[in-house]
Amino acid sequence: MPETETSPAPSTGENREYDYDLFVIGAGSGGVRASRVAAAHGAKVAVAEEYRIGGTCVIRGCVPKKLLVYGSHFAEELQDAAHYGWTVSAMSFDWAVLRDTVLKDVDRLNAAYTSTLESHDVERFLERATITGPHGVKLASGREISAKVILVATGAWPAVPEFEGSEHCITSNEVFHLEKMPKRVVIAGAGYIAMEFAGIFNALGAHVTVVNRSDVILRGYDEAMRDRLLQITMARGIEYKFHCPFNKVTKLEDGSLEVNLEGQDPLKADIVLVATGRKPNTAGLGLENAGITLGEKGEIPVDEHNRTSCDSIYAVGDVTNRVQLTPVAIREGQAFADTVFGGMPSTVDYGCIPSAVFSQPPLAGVGLTEGQARNKYGNIRVYSSDFRPMKNVFAGRQERGLYKLITDAATGKILGLHMIGPEAPEILQAAAIAVKAGLTKADFDATVALHPSMAEELVLMR
């Protein structure tokens, strides 16, 4: 492949100028995909990972968290079983069993990701690597390595606000390793991580208090979905304290915690989980040695081809702070490898990216929210379906699902689709294809409903 400005060809044979064609720092979703694809294109690739192969999503993020969601769902399922004729007696829950089963699956995925790299002859260094210059990295062991291209894929890290006693708090990194099930949980923040863990611990029987500096949960999601989730979770027993900055967390003699909030009586807790966002993991990487200046939030600025201000250094995934989602990091890693080593210049389309919150109940959305659509298009039309899922009716639960279609009033084109209710993320994935394809409300109306299902509400909205 001829070398181009955006696609430096991998070197081969005895004339290799560098130790590696590509050196990747970080073996998460984006780094592993980039390594595998670059190697398939003929590049000599190495990757450094200071913890475990697989990254945040696989090791301490969305995958183990989803398994905890599954485990917590059984509390509701077992309660509802009586309505279906089942007698379930002597119910009990063992946190250690769920925790260890989840961690066992993390081990499985770590091995699977490692096997993927091995099968593509990607060399692995299980230690920290820092950048020493445009083509140089240094391992924690002291070894210095040269590479024609360096890719930074170090992800993001939990952001912990500064307040007295913050060292007594945990983040989503540690929550999967708790020795015992907490009875009282205080969660700082109201984003997707906070709301997912609030649902998990609430379902497992803990008293959960969500503390937030503002009065908005899930900022950026459609307002109607947020309001519905707030109503349902409050009815389920989750307590909210809004406009409440943390003043201090004190560890008591019995090991419990006392949480002091601005303008509130102290709270007692077994754990305080800080879930106030994630910051790009760039501290101490040595990017300044290659002349790279970080952005305001510590992110690595890159162009549409994932290249930094240094021509030989690229970055993908959460470390760039574009869209902090695993599938996006994977697409960026693929585009990088195809562009730089495959002779196939590629970019990622960031429009209409579906997202979900695995709260209880879950919500999901794609495209513009109602507010965003009004601001951009002005004249819009909103269709909705506010219904009680059949499962809830039969179980005697009052919780209602809500689906919303937002369209351009002039053309009928669907601008956004948002839903909250059982299995909402599973339903949205297929519907997101239609939104991405630019289909209209008429196209949905022309589709025969699949009955009886919750998904049929998508083609019956008025």
Side-chain angles (χ1 to χ4, degrees):
M1 183 187 76
E3 185 171 347
T4 67
E5 181 179 354
T6 58
S7 304
S11 53
T12 57
E14 298 299 325
N15 295 323
R16 189 185 302 278
E17 183 179 354
Y18 303 98
D19 296 324
Y20 297 95
D21 300 313
L22 171 65
F23 194 95
V24 180
I25 303 178
S29 299
V32 168
R33 175 60 64 90
S35 299
R36 175 178 68 79
V37 176
H41 286 315
K44 183 181 181 183
V45 182
V47 60
E49 172 55 59
E50 62 180 327
Y51 183 51
R52 303 183 75 183
I53 305 297
T56 294
C57 180
V58 169
I59 304 301
R60 53 179 112 71
C62 45
V63 171
K65 183 170 54 182
K66 184 68 176 293
L67 294 176
L68 290 184
V69 170
Y70 283 144
S72 67
H73 277 178
F74 281 97
E76 181 177 302
E77 299 289 343
L78 290 170
Q79 291 171 15
D80 292 349
H83 296 275
Y84 293 87
W86 292 91
T87 299
V88 182
S89 59
M91 289 190 300
S92 64
F93 171 70
D94 190 330
W95 164 258
V97 172
L98 176 59
R99 177 200 63 203
D100 293 348
T101 302
V102 169
L103 294 179
K104 183 178 179 180
D105 198 64
V106 168
D107 291 340
R108 178 187 65 81
L109 291 167
N110 171 242
Y113 273 67
T114 300
S115 177
T116 294
L117 294 177
E118 287 178 345
S119 66
H120 286 82
D121 296 322
V122 176
E123 190 167 355
R124 301 166 314 285
F125 297 97
L126 298 181
E127 54 185 309
R128 182 174 177 81
T130 55
I131 293 171
T132 58
H135 298 282
V137 298
K138 185 175 183 179
L139 302 178
S141 59
R143 178 178 173 181
E144 296 197 16
I145 294 173
S146 64
K148 187 170 188 179
V149 174
I150 297 171
L151 175 68
V152 181
T154 50
W157 201 251
V160 179
E162 293 184 6
F163 55 84
E164 186 178 348
S166 61
E167 69 274 11
H168 301 310
C169 304
I170 65 171
T171 70
S172 55
N173 287 354
E174 297 81 38
V175 74
F176 302 103
H177 302 275
L178 292 174
E179 289 187 11
K180 59 183 181 180
M181 173 67 193
K183 295 180 179 179
R184 301 163 299 179
V185 178
V186 173
I187 300 178
Y192 74 94
I193 296 175
M195 296 307 298
E196 288 172 343
F197 278 115
I200 290 167
F201 284 118
N202 170 256
L204 293 177
H207 180 269
V208 177
T209 304
V210 174
V211 179
N212 198 32
R213 294 180 64 93
S214 73
D215 61 358
V216 176
I217 69 170
L218 297 177
R219 188 180 301 277
Y221 284 83
D222 188 83
E223 185 175 359
M225 305 300 130
R226 300 185 332 224
D227 289 346
R228 180 61 56 89
L229 181 64
L230 182 61
Q231 294 167 14
I232 293 174
T233 53
M234 288 177 67
R236 288 190 177 200
I238 295 177
E239 186 177 355
Y240 291 87
K241 292 189 178 296
F242 294 128
H243 300 296
C244 291
F246 274 62
N247 284 338
K248 180 172 66 173
V249 174
T250 305
K251 191 167 187 177
L252 305 179
E253 290 185 4
D254 64 358
S256 65
L257 302 173
E258 182 178 86
V259 183
N260 287 274
L261 306 172
E262 187 74 34
Q264 297 283 329
D265 293 332
L267 298 175
K268 293 295 195 302
D270 298 308
I271 65 167
V272 176
L273 171 61
V274 177
T276 51
R278 297 175 61 81
K279 59 183 179 181
N281 191 16
T282 52
L285 276 179
L287 291 158
E288 67 280 0
N289 296 326
I292 298 172
T293 301
L294 299 177
E296 292 182 1
K297 297 183 179 180
E299 77 277 10
I300 301 177
V302 293
D303 64 16
E304 63 177 353
H305 290 291
N306 303 294
R307 195 198 308 243
T308 70
S309 58
C310 177
D311 286 348
S312 58
I313 298 180
Y314 294 72
V316 299
D318 292 0
V319 74
T320 68
N321 203 39
R322 288 175 287 188
V323 179
Q324 290 193 8
L325 290 173
T326 295
V328 174
I330 291 172
R331 292 214 168 200
E332 289 173 351
Q334 177 85 42
F336 156 79
D338 285 342
T339 298
V340 178
F341 294 101
M344 299 178 289
S346 304
T347 59
V348 175
D349 181 358
Y350 295 96
C352 276
I353 297 174
S355 64
V357 180
F358 295 99
S359 49
Q360 300 187 34
L363 60 85
V366 63
L368 302 179
T369 66
E370 182 176 345
Q372 292 168 341
R374 289 192 189 282
N375 290 337
K376 184 172 182 179
Y377 287 85
N379 191 17
I380 65 172
R381 186 169 180 183
V382 178
Y383 302 84
S384 65
S385 178
D386 191 331
F387 62 99
R388 236 174 122 196
M390 181 187 297
K391 181 180 178 183
N392 288 355
V393 173
F394 200 61
R397 294 183 178 274
Q398 299 304 312
E399 295 175 2
R400 300 181 67 84
L402 176 62
Y403 292 0
K404 180 194 285 190
L405 267 176
I406 302 156
T407 67
D408 180 353
T411 65
K413 178 182 177 181
I414 298 173
L415 306 175
L417 171 58
H418 307 276
M419 55 178 64
I420 181 171
E423 308 300 336
E426 304 295 341
I427 297 169
L428 182 87
Q429 177 65 84
I433 299 171
V435 179
K436 179 71 173 177
L439 299 188
T440 65
K441 179 64 167 61
D443 293 317
F444 271 52
D445 291 343
T447 303
V448 176
L450 195 161
H451 181 77
S453 71
M454 291 177 291
E456 69 180 311
E457 298 295 331
L458 292 175
V459 300
L460 300 175
M461 281 190 253
R462 293 292 180 264

